Amino acid sequence: MSKPIRAPTWVSRRRLFEDKLWALHKCTNINHLKQVHAFVYKFNLHKDPFVARKLISAFSSCRQMVLALNVFNQIEEPNVHLYNSMIRGYSENFQSSLAFAIFFEMQSCGVLPDNFTYPFLLKACCGQSWLEIVKMVHTHIEKFGFSADIFVPNSLIDIYAKCGSSGVNYAKGLFNVMVERDIVSWNSMISGLMRAGELDEARKLFDEMPERDTISWNTMLGMYTKAGEMNMAFEIFKKIPERNVVSWSTMVSGYSKSGDMQLAGLLFDKMPVKNLVAWTIIISGYAEKGLAKKAIGLYDQMEKSGLNLDDGTIISILAACAESGFLGLGKRVHESIEKNKFKCSNQVCNALIDMYAKCGSLDAALRVFNEMKKRDLVSWNAMIHGLAMHGHGKKALQLFSRLNKEGFAPDEVTFVGVLCACNHAGFIDEGKHYFYTMERDYGVVPEIEHYGCMIDLLGRGGRLKEALRLVHSMPVEPNAIIWGALLEACRMHNAVGLAEEVLNHLVELEPTDAGDFNTLSNIYAAAGEWGGVPNVRLRMKNTCTQKPSGASSIELDAEFHEFTVMDTSHPKSDGIYEMVNGLSQHIKQVGYVPVACC
DNA sequence: CTAGGGTTAG
């Protein structure tokens, strides 16, 4: 047997390179990609449409649309596949207008769209504001006759249903006139109805559909878990012929959201296959409920099981930590990020800022904020609000003016933070200034949240009449939060008459809240009008159900300690009360006047 | 083209 003749080096290199080209769609490493790009030039292949298409898709999936466009521009007469790849790239990278620009360009160059073009283009249209454009694309499709390919009307149904409540009617219209429907048409329609809140209609279609796959079953499962109907969900779950990891994690998520961590944990343990999403759901669930040991234990297990964290996991767990004040796990997540040299997206940084701020570590929040290269409005809003919440009103307002200087346009969320800062710091005049100029100078129309902040601010400052006048001038109906803020102001300033009026409004809105009646009886008591108290108690008995009392919690060394009013259950209760009494003596000495309470 | 986790507003 003779030895095989070795190919010349350039042939083997070329073969190697061809293998790389074939694997390009899997390539997510931008440096490898750039290497391949260099090879392409070396072998003068950059004008080959096939090679160019591979490169464009690879650059798109690495979110490098500028590089993708460079490749595209090398081609003198791009074919329909190349145009499609560019449209898809822009759509998937949320650059909708550029996707449409390419679509228009291909038409002016006389290249006809094909059945792949529209699903890609439609992906760029999501949200209520796109409905009119989707209708135009729909007309275009009918004109060119591509609705024969089932992919095209299926995408239309999906995208129509994502265009808000009126969009779903267009989805229904299309679904009803479709001659041939496949399982995806049914699934898309059902999930669209579900998103629009038409649950009965969704269930009806589910029962009617000729055959169901796991996606159909999981859609129904998601519908019931989101509605908090865990019994119905479990009925569905039992009937699913082939459960997959999504079926299981939907159930775990449902139990976790309904507050039943025991069942959630039980189901999680039984899951035959656990993926990153499943771990995320269970850890976030425990973290949000403050079940620190469980959450940390599972987080360790997840890291040990060799799964790589992704954006979704990090953001979700951090949000849960922010909710419960679980700084311990939040820090652990931050450490993992740094240990793994995880490249933080803005969303991740923003979640970190929010977590640190809500857990009271403002220094850490500021550190993340300051180290960000390209802050977005969410970063500013989270930081401003974090400072405001902790009473650093001045710093929050300074940050607001810095935001303006750096050319950002504040939005409605920013102003909630700004007004909150004024509120916590007692800056009544500044608050009024921002409230009355937000629309004039920044084009942000005040919403009910902003009115709420203002009424709280005026009320706390004792300007009850002004607060009441603002309530009556509101363009929307005042809600329970508004009246509640006013009632609280009445309590602080012993305004008996106004309190009675406010309570009447509150009872209409939320007849179940005992806390409001308590507040009123406290007001009577503080004003010395003890005659009013039994009356209130009677009304309370007739109209109220007991609300669970509020609790404060703190986490120390992965252990949560919870406290409610008059609580003596903590093992170190005596010492804690001793400290509290000492502190309240101390703050009285430095001038704090406590509010009357009975 | 269809199903599960996801940053800012009390």
Side-chain angles (χ1 to χ4, degrees):
Chain A
M1 261 214 290
S2 58
K3 265 166 83 178
I5 301 161
R6 266 185 69 176
T9 328
W10 71 269
V11 173
S12 52
R13 277 178 71 189
R14 165 119 195 210
R15 180 138 322 137
L16 192 75
F17 159 63
E18 272 171 4
D19 288 346
K20 277 192 179 172
L21 262 187
W22 276 108
L24 257 188
H25 59 281
K26 286 190 277 190
C27 182
T28 48
N29 182 321
I30 185 67
N31 291 325
H32 293 174
L33 252 177
K34 283 181 177 163
Q35 260 176 26
V36 178
H37 197 190
F39 268 103
V40 168
Y41 269 95
K42 190 166 177 153
F43 291 110
N44 212 15
L45 284 166
H46 57 283
K47 290 198 192 296
D48 179 330
F50 172 78
V51 175
R53 209 177 86 215
K54 285 269 175 192
L55 270 173
I56 288 172
S57 337
F59 278 133
S60 314
S61 54
C62 296
R63 289 180 303 212
Q64 300 289 333
M65 285 314 290
V66 177
L67 296 176
L69 184 64
N70 276 340
V71 177
F72 181 76
N73 283 339
Q74 298 292 317
I75 311 291
E76 273 150 35
E77 284 187 5
N79 58 24
V80 63
H81 305 296
L82 279 162
Y83 278 110
N84 287 347
S85 300
M86 283 307 288
I87 293 174
R88 176 191 210 167
Y90 281 129
S91 296
E92 284 173 356
N93 288 288
F94 310 105
Q95 292 173 288
S96 315
S97 40
L98 291 172
F100 272 88
I102 295 281
F103 177 68
F104 292 133
E105 189 191 308
M106 86 188 268
Q107 284 173 309
S108 63
C109 293
V111 177
L112 288 178
D114 67 5
N115 45 345
F116 284 89
T117 311
Y118 294 103
F120 295 152
L121 187 68
L122 284 168
K123 240 195 163 167
C125 320
C126 55
Q128 214 145 11
S129 53
W130 284 91
L131 181 59
E132 290 309 313
I133 295 173
V134 174
K135 277 154 78 177
M136 277 158 62
V137 175
H138 188 177
T139 315
H140 212 269
I141 289 169
E142 306 258 288
K143 204 170 88 187
F144 282 86
F146 280 116
S147 44
D149 180 357
I150 194 89
F151 263 70
V152 178
N154 283 354
S155 323
L156 265 174
I157 289 177
D158 175 51
I159 223 72
Y160 264 136
K162 285 177 180 157
C163 289
S165 47
S166 45
V168 84
N169 291 325
Y170 290 93
K172 279 189 215 168
L174 182 57
F175 181 79
N176 289 334
V177 299
M178 272 172 83
V179 196
E180 262 181 79
R181 302 171 188 145
D182 69 356
I183 200 157
V184 179
S185 329
W186 286 88
N187 287 344
S188 305
M189 192 63 242
I190 291 172
S191 100
L193 287 166
M194 190 195 88
R195 253 196 313 270
E198 301 186 25
L199 306 193
D200 295 335
E201 192 90 352
R203 176 70 204 228
K204 211 177 121 228
L205 277 194
F206 176 78
D207 291 334
E208 269 174 30
M209 67 193 291
E211 51 168 350
R212 299 168 194 90
D213 61 4
T214 302
I215 295 186
S216 331
W217 286 97
N218 287 347
T219 306
M220 287 322 278
L221 207 57
M223 181 171 102
Y224 287 121
T225 57
K226 278 196 194 82
E229 304 241 23
M230 287 313 292
N231 292 334
M232 285 298 278
F234 192 60
E235 289 304 310
I236 293 282
F237 182 70
K238 280 192 292 192
K239 284 186 198 150
I240 301 179
E242 281 175 59
R243 295 178 198 134
N244 63 11
V245 64
V246 177
S247 327
W248 285 87
S249 48
T250 305
M251 285 304 285
V252 175
S253 160
Y255 282 124
S256 161
K257 292 234 164 73
S258 70
D260 196 336
M261 285 317 293
Q262 234 172 358
L263 275 178
L266 214 66
L267 228 57
F268 178 77
D269 290 338
K270 280 193 178 167
M271 278 182 86
V273 183
K274 300 174 173 72
N275 65 4
L276 195 58
V277 175
W279 284 99
T280 305
I281 292 169
I282 194 77
I283 295 170
S284 306
Y286 281 126
E288 199 177 311
K289 306 283 171 315
L291 296 162
K293 282 204 176 112
K294 278 281 199 184
I296 294 259
L298 282 163
Y299 188 78
D300 285 335
Q301 264 180 276
M302 175 179 71
E303 284 204 317
K304 271 193 211 119
S305 72
L307 288 165
N308 287 326
L309 302 180
D310 72 356
D311 274 37
T313 305
I314 294 169
I315 293 166
S316 178
I317 296 178
L318 287 175
C321 292
E323 178 85 10
S324 64
F326 192 172
L327 181 60
L329 181 57
K331 271 186 178 162
R332 274 292 309 277
V333 174
H334 197 177
E335 280 163 19
S336 306
I337 289 174
E338 291 188 335
K339 200 175 70 199
N340 300 326
K341 299 200 167 61
F342 186 87
K343 201 175 166 309
C344 285
S345 65
N346 263 12
Q347 284 189 331
V348 168
C349 290
N350 295 343
L352 273 171
I353 293 171
D354 186 51
M355 182 278 296
Y356 277 126
K358 292 231 172 86
C359 293
S361 282
L362 287 170
D363 290 341
L366 276 166
R367 221 172 298 137
V368 177
F369 178 82
N370 288 327
E371 281 169 10
M372 278 178 82
K373 282 191 207 85
K374 273 192 147 187
R375 289 176 279 264
D376 60 24
L377 193 56
V378 175
S379 333
W380 290 90
N381 289 350
M383 200 60 244
I384 289 175
H385 201 260
L387 288 165
M389 262 188 325
H390 291 91
H392 299 280
K394 246 204 177 108
K395 280 191 188 163
L397 294 181
Q398 280 166 358
L399 210 58
F400 174 72
S401 64
R402 233 181 89 196
L403 167 151
N404 285 309
K405 275 191 209 114
E406 297 194 15
F408 282 90
D411 68 357
E412 63 284 357
V413 181
T414 319
F415 280 103
V416 173
V418 167
L419 295 176
C420 180
C422 298
N423 203 348
H424 282 253
F427 300 154
I428 299 186
D429 294 330
E430 285 89 340
K432 280 168 76 172
H433 169 257
Y434 286 118
F435 183 73
Y436 291 112
T437 54
M438 58 188 276
E439 185 171 2
R440 190 194 69 192
D441 297 349
Y442 302 94
V444 181
V445 183
E447 292 165 26
I448 195 147
E449 289 86 356
H450 305 106
Y451 281 93
C453 291
M454 274 317 284
I455 285 149
D456 206 18
L457 176 63
L458 293 169
R460 276 171 202 275
R463 306 195 188 178
L464 293 174
K465 277 192 190 132
E466 206 177 333
L468 188 64
R469 234 180 296 142
L470 191 60
V471 173
H472 289 310
S473 76
M474 282 172 56
V476 285
E477 273 302 297
N479 59 13
I481 296 170
I482 302 279
W483 291 118
L486 203 53
L487 185 66
E488 181 59 20
C490 293
R491 187 186 64 81
M492 291 171 77
H493 300 283
N494 298 325
V496 181
L498 182 57
E500 285 169 347
E501 190 191 324
V502 170
L503 193 77
N504 286 334
H505 287 287
L506 265 170
V507 172
E508 273 171 38
L509 290 167
E510 43 168 26
T512 50
D513 195 348
D516 299 330
F517 283 98
N518 262 328
T519 308
L520 184 63
S521 69
N522 288 348
I523 295 171
Y524 280 129
E529 296 187 21
W530 293 96
V533 176
N535 248 334
V536 178
R537 297 269 169 222
L538 190 68
R539 274 179 73 187
M540 190 166 139
K541 216 174 148 192
N542 291 338
T543 52
C544 294
T545 52
Q546 196 61 47
K547 214 166 78 167
S549 53
S552 307
S553 63
I554 188 166
E555 172 238 334
L556 266 180
D557 301 327
E559 190 142 356
F560 262 79
H561 305 267
E562 201 171 61
F563 305 94
T564 52
V565 178
M566 309 287 280
D567 188 357
T568 52
S569 61
H570 194 274
K572 291 187 179 169
S573 185
D574 290 345
I576 293 169
Y577 275 104
E578 208 171 294
M579 176 66 91
V580 171
N581 291 333
L583 276 174
S584 46
Q585 293 246 310
H586 186 73
I587 56 175
K588 273 180 208 161
Q589 277 163 13
V590 295
Y592 173 75
V593 184
V595 193
C597 190
C598 64

